[in-house]
Amino acid sequence: MVEAFAVASGKGGTGKTTTTLALGMALAERYDVTVVDADTGMANLLFHTGLADAPVTLQDLLAPDGSAVDVADATYDRHGLRVVPCGTSLAAFERSDPARLREVVAELAADTDVLLLDSPATLASKSAVLPVVLADRVVVVTQPTIPALSDALKVQEYATSYGTGVAGVLFNRVRGDLGGVEEQAERYFEGPMLGSVPDSDAARAARDVGEPLLAHAPDSDAARAFREVAAGVDPEPKAAGDVADRFRSAVVPERP
Amino acid sequence: MTGEPSTHPPSVVDRLPRGELVRARVATAFAAPLAAALDDRLTGYLRIEPGEALLGGSGAEAVVTLEEGVPVLVYDAAADADGPAALAALAGSAPARVESYRLPAETLADLHDPDADAAAPFRVAPDAPARELAADDDLADRTRAAAPDDRGDEGDHDALAAFLADEERVEQVRADARAEAEARAAEWGLSDQLDGE
């Protein structure tokens, strides 16, 4: 049983990877969760999870001879999650065959409840938009600024154009009082406002030591806010085979 | 909410002497002119002519006044919007022609006086232009750090609130994104994946 979520923002710098891991850890209290770094062009999940030296990553699975590598070899148990990091080698990125991503994800989907895809912070290429196309629902991460919110709306419109639902929207890296902005914004989103997470030095410190925020500073205001956000995400696990089939039948992306 | 025409004192633009032109160029994004002003500790103003005004010659313009490189007041003449509402009107309007002018500090002293009621509606948070126009968090942090201690944090989200209050504009953003998604799907051969409704 699995539901696949794309955690997406459209804009960089919104704290998407921090969010993906925080939601993953909070949801892992109730579900089996697998987190995949689907941002193959600007991978950084590995730095947030102490896997910078991981011997096998998604890049190896996406290599032309990747079918010889077992998906399990690129899957690491960390902090109660299954984590599939992506390497950062440019040469490996250029060699990689994104077409294999759907196979990898289909295989992972067969053995988890919740699949979180940390998605690229752009919608400018076919590879970048693929996680949003494939997911059942998208979790939209934004900052409380006009450019970030415009990009968040854009992600929503891309998602719904592809029949992907909206699990909700969260404001991250919030400074000061949002006032009525959440209520104002909620009118324009198809999903609920999941909450606001304050800007936090703890999130930066967590990344610096290679730990997810909820492991590094579980009592911080930001961690607490993320747990509240996660409580609003209500996974609707589907038959794993359906999701796997959906990934397998998805159109093959061209090389980025 | 700001932007009520009836509250306008004589326009900030009208009250600005021309000043010494420091630089003028068409900027593809607002980060470069804002960063240059901060690096130069420029006291004066940026005169912004948005992209559509460049093409149409409509004379639309906006100004961002600066003290030691830190934005203080914003006015958008095309929308007749001030302060945060002017930022909301300007957001996303690059490329734009941006002219930077230097003025003696005393020329701006009255306008920038925090107790000047006439200028109050035009005031923005020091880092708001970097966040809302340039989408540059690092520049926003640097600008906030350079701002005097008496520049408060109030009104941080006013520009976003003004943007969200403009229902027509937000719906236009959504409609444009839907059209772009469909056009890109065709370009990428993903049309079969589009929702059939």
Side-chain angles (χ1 to χ4, degrees):
Chain A
M1 301 288 277
V2 65
E3 178 166 20
F5 294 93
V7 181
S9 64
K11 176 186 176 297
T14 58
K16 198 165 36 59
T17 301
T18 294
T19 302
T20 304
L21 286 167
L23 293 182
M25 283 187 65
L27 290 170
E29 291 173 12
R30 292 180 283 151
Y31 302 94
D32 280 339
V33 179
T34 301
V35 174
V36 181
D37 194 349
D39 187 357
T40 53
M42 195 145 343
N44 66 0
L45 191 81
L46 73 174
F47 299 120
H48 288 249
T49 49
L51 289 167
D53 297 322
V56 183
T57 76
L58 184 65
Q59 277 192 335
D60 299 296
L61 298 173
L62 301 184
D65 58 352
S67 51
V69 182
D70 194 336
V71 172
D73 292 341
T75 307
Y76 300 83
D77 289 326
R78 289 289 186 283
H79 308 287
L81 305 170
R82 254 167 295 181
V83 179
V84 182
C86 186
T88 57
S89 154
L90 189 58
F93 174 66
E94 286 172 349
R95 272 201 316 273
S96 72
D97 175 9
R100 286 197 33 77
L101 178 65
R102 59 184 186 143
E103 273 301 323
V104 169
V105 175
E107 196 165 326
L108 291 166
D111 195 26
T112 196
D113 296 330
V114 174
L115 195 55
L116 294 174
L117 306 173
D118 189 7
S119 306
T122 171
L123 294 165
S125 72
K126 190 172 174 179
S127 294
V129 88
L130 195 67
V132 168
V133 177
L134 296 176
D136 295 295
R137 287 191 287 168
V138 62
V139 175
V140 182
V141 184
T142 184
Q143 284 173 271
T145 68
I146 298 169
L149 195 102
S150 298
D151 284 342
L153 286 166
K154 195 167 164 178
V155 163
Q156 165 172 275
E157 298 310 321
Y158 269 67
T160 54
S161 294
Y162 288 107
T164 302
V166 181
V169 186
L170 71 103
F171 281 112
N172 192 29
R173 302 187 60 189
V174 174
R175 290 182 182 179
D177 182 3
L178 276 180
V181 158
E182 281 178 298
E183 291 75 17
Q184 277 184 291
E186 187 160 29
R187 292 186 292 144
Y188 301 111
F189 285 97
E190 307 292 330
M193 193 57 64
L194 296 169
S196 299
V197 179
D199 192 44
S200 168
D201 289 336
R204 283 178 281 275
R207 191 260 182 229
D208 287 347
V209 298
E211 282 186 335
L213 172 67
L214 266 60
H216 182 71
D219 298 323
S220 61
D221 289 346
R224 251 192 296 276
F226 273 124
R227 281 192 292 267
E228 284 174 27
V229 164
V233 178
D234 197 11
E236 299 161 3
K238 299 169 173 53
D242 291 351
V243 176
D245 286 349
R246 187 165 169 193
F247 278 95
R248 288 204 171 90
S249 67
V251 175
V252 175
E254 287 153 9
R255 294 176 66 83
Chain B
M1 186 61 60
T2 56
E4 294 298 325
S6 60
T7 66
H8 280 171
S11 160
V12 165
V13 180
D14 298 337
R15 295 175 63 188
L16 284 174
R18 185 176 163 80
E20 171 203 348
L21 181 64
V22 178
R23 65 178 72 82
R25 61 193 53 165
V26 173
T28 52
F30 290 115
L34 286 168
L38 183 64
D39 292 343
D40 293 351
R41 314 290 287 181
L42 179 70
T43 294
Y45 64 97
L46 306 180
R47 179 182 171 278
I48 298 169
E49 213 177 322
E52 57 242 54
L54 291 180
L55 296 172
S58 66
E61 62 177 354
V63 293
V64 178
T65 70
L66 303 154
E67 191 163 313
E68 299 271 310
V70 177
V72 183
L73 312 175
V74 184
Y75 176 67
D76 182 277
D80 192 18
D82 45 30
L87 288 179
L90 272 174
S93 62
R97 179 178 170 81
V98 182
E99 298 168 353
S100 308
Y101 291 92
R102 188 188 312 280
L103 284 171
E106 58 270 22
T107 313
L108 286 166
D110 286 348
L111 270 175
H112 285 181
D113 178 354
D115 298 324
D117 290 342
F122 298 93
R123 296 183 76 86
V124 295
D127 52 344
R131 281 186 284 115
E132 307 295 0
L133 301 182
D136 188 327
D137 291 336
D138 291 337
L139 180 61
D141 287 345
R142 284 206 293 129
T143 308
R144 182 172 283 271
D149 292 341
D150 60 1
R151 294 289 305 277
D153 290 349
E154 67 279 358
D156 270 345
H157 305 297
D158 287 356
L160 179 58
F163 172 77
L164 290 168
D166 188 345
E167 199 164 320
E168 201 174 314
R169 178 146 179 238
V170 178
E171 291 301 345
Q172 190 62 50
V173 169
R174 294 183 62 180
D176 290 348
R178 275 196 297 279
E180 184 184 294
E182 283 167 23
R184 288 249 169 104
E187 183 186 324
W188 293 330
L190 288 171
S191 294
D192 289 349
Q193 305 288 314
L194 286 174
D195 199 18
E197 58 183 0

